[in-house]
Amino acid sequence: MNPEEIELKIGWLYPTLMSTYGDRGNVICLEKRATWRGIKVSIIPLDRNTKASEIEEIDLIVGGGAQDRQQSIVMEDLKGIKADTLKAKIEAGMPGVFTCGSPQLLGHYYEPALGNKIEGLGILDFVSKHPGIDARRCIGNLVFEITASPLAEELKTILGEKPIAIGFENHGGRTYLGQVDSLGKVILGYGNNGEDGMEGAFYRNAIATYAHGPLLPKNPFIADWLIQKAIQEKYQLPISLTKLDDLLPKKARQTMLKRLDLLSNVDH
Ligand code: GLN
């Protein structure tokens, strides 16, 4: 199958409500890295006007971060047949990357700093709790090794070395995992809660992380994994994407790791 015969529909969860922390960069990165390979891409905003049938048609999903208030507005809409359709798509293996506020809504619940508990979709087995408006926010550079299997092995094949992700976190909520794999282990930063050394979660082909940045331009190997997985799931055929010239992101990663005095953590 030629790339020109491939079309990907990328769903973007509530773009006007959940784009507080620049995660639109993940959508742009996916779109560019697919179109640079000749793949046809359409970006589908999934918002309060979206019908469940439109969610059914997407191949890959991106969810960004949001403030507590916006998260509760989202969950007033993401229920019933829309929620069931999204859950079914994730359970069926649709790949996605969910950052901070959006994965908090994929868990069992999120207790915000103020206001009522926000019931989540219960797709990911974890809970998130904000310790209150006087608690320290988890803000800063976040570096972690992706360890979830088989994701880590697949990323190592793409990247050619241990998958270390570099991002930036800014959250008040703390996430506590149940029976779900963590995405990775923290090398620098808070991660899920600043206590257990874990970052994010991984379930089926859904990546949940606290890493803004945006994550994908800083870690393009994860973007390529998402594109590749979406094609495999949609067309049921193995595919390896052509290599792109990633000299710039490679240099940016080296600069960040050097600045954070973490170069020894990355195999060369
Ligand atoms: N409002 C949530 C929190 O403070 C999510 C923040 C975010 O998406 N960066 O934890």
Side-chain angles (χ1 to χ4, degrees):
M1 192 172 200
N2 298 322
E4 293 71 25
E5 297 172 88
I6 295 174
E7 177 179 0
L8 287 182
K9 290 187 177 180
I10 300 177
W12 186 7
L13 268 183
Y14 299 88
T16 56
L17 286 167
M18 302 193 86
S19 294
T20 312
Y21 300 85
D23 301 307
R24 69 179 57 242
N26 289 339
V27 178
I28 297 167
C29 181
L30 287 167
E31 182 182 26
K32 289 293 180 195
R33 293 185 73 86
T35 49
W36 286 339
R37 288 159 164 133
I39 296 167
K40 189 170 179 293
V41 173
S42 42
I43 309 296
I44 318 286
L46 305 174
D47 55 26
R48 286 173 281 190
N49 305 317
T50 302
K51 296 182 185 62
S53 53
E54 294 171 88
I55 298 175
E56 183 56 48
E57 290 171 4
I58 57 171
D59 306 308
L60 171 55
I61 190 165
V62 177
Q67 287 129 307
D68 292 4
R69 175 82 188 97
Q70 281 70 16
Q71 289 173 273
S72 62
I73 295 170
V74 165
M75 291 315 284
E76 284 161 19
D77 180 68
L78 189 52
K79 54 191 176 188
I81 182 79
K82 284 173 83 165
D84 294 344
T85 305
L86 178 59
K87 284 170 77 166
K89 293 283 286 183
I90 291 174
E91 288 291 347
M94 173 185 65
V97 56
F98 301 92
T99 310
C100 203
S102 40
Q104 287 175 340
L105 303 178
L106 300 183
H108 297 298
Y109 61 79
Y110 171 48
E111 278 177 12
L114 299 168
N116 301 327
K117 183 194 284 191
I118 303 169
E119 292 302 326
L121 299 184
I123 303 171
L124 302 179
D125 184 14
F126 60 56
V127 298
S128 302
K129 304 173 189 174
H130 194 303
I133 51 175
D134 297 329
R136 172 203 77 239
R137 275 188 78 79
C138 303
I139 297 178
N141 289 299
L142 173 60
V143 181
F144 57 99
E145 180 184 348
I146 295 177
T147 53
S149 183
L151 173 63
E153 295 85 356
E154 293 171 0
L155 290 174
K156 188 167 181 178
T157 303
I158 294 171
L159 183 61
E161 62 186 34
K162 191 165 60 170
I164 302 282
I166 303 168
F168 188 87
E169 61 186 322
N170 178 347
H171 54 103
R174 274 70 165 170
T175 292
Y176 300 90
L177 303 185
Q179 297 304 307
V180 64
D181 284 346
S182 70
L183 174 62
K185 57 184 181 184
V186 174
I187 295 171
L188 177 126
Y190 298 92
N192 285 344
N193 49 50
E195 299 158 37
D196 60 19
M198 291 192 277
E199 155 55 21
F202 181 69
Y203 177 69
R204 297 282 195 274
N205 288 318
I207 293 173
T209 178
Y210 271 112
H212 300 289
L215 175 74
L216 298 184
K218 283 192 167 186
N219 307 275
F221 58 97
I222 303 176
D224 287 353
W225 180 86
L226 286 161
I227 295 167
Q228 207 162 272
K229 193 58 77 175
I231 295 169
Q232 287 166 354
E233 289 295 319
K234 178 171 186 176
Y235 295 100
Q236 292 302 305
L237 58 83
I239 185 167
S240 58
L241 298 175
T242 51
K243 287 275 182 216
L244 295 176
D245 175 2
D246 282 334
L247 182 60
L248 273 181
K250 276 196 182 78
K251 283 188 177 296
R253 288 168 57 79
Q254 291 288 341
T255 302
M256 276 313 292
L257 291 171
K258 192 170 177 191
R259 187 181 301 169
L260 299 171
D261 196 22
L262 290 174
L263 270 181
S264 58
N265 286 69
V266 180
D267 301 335
H268 296 287

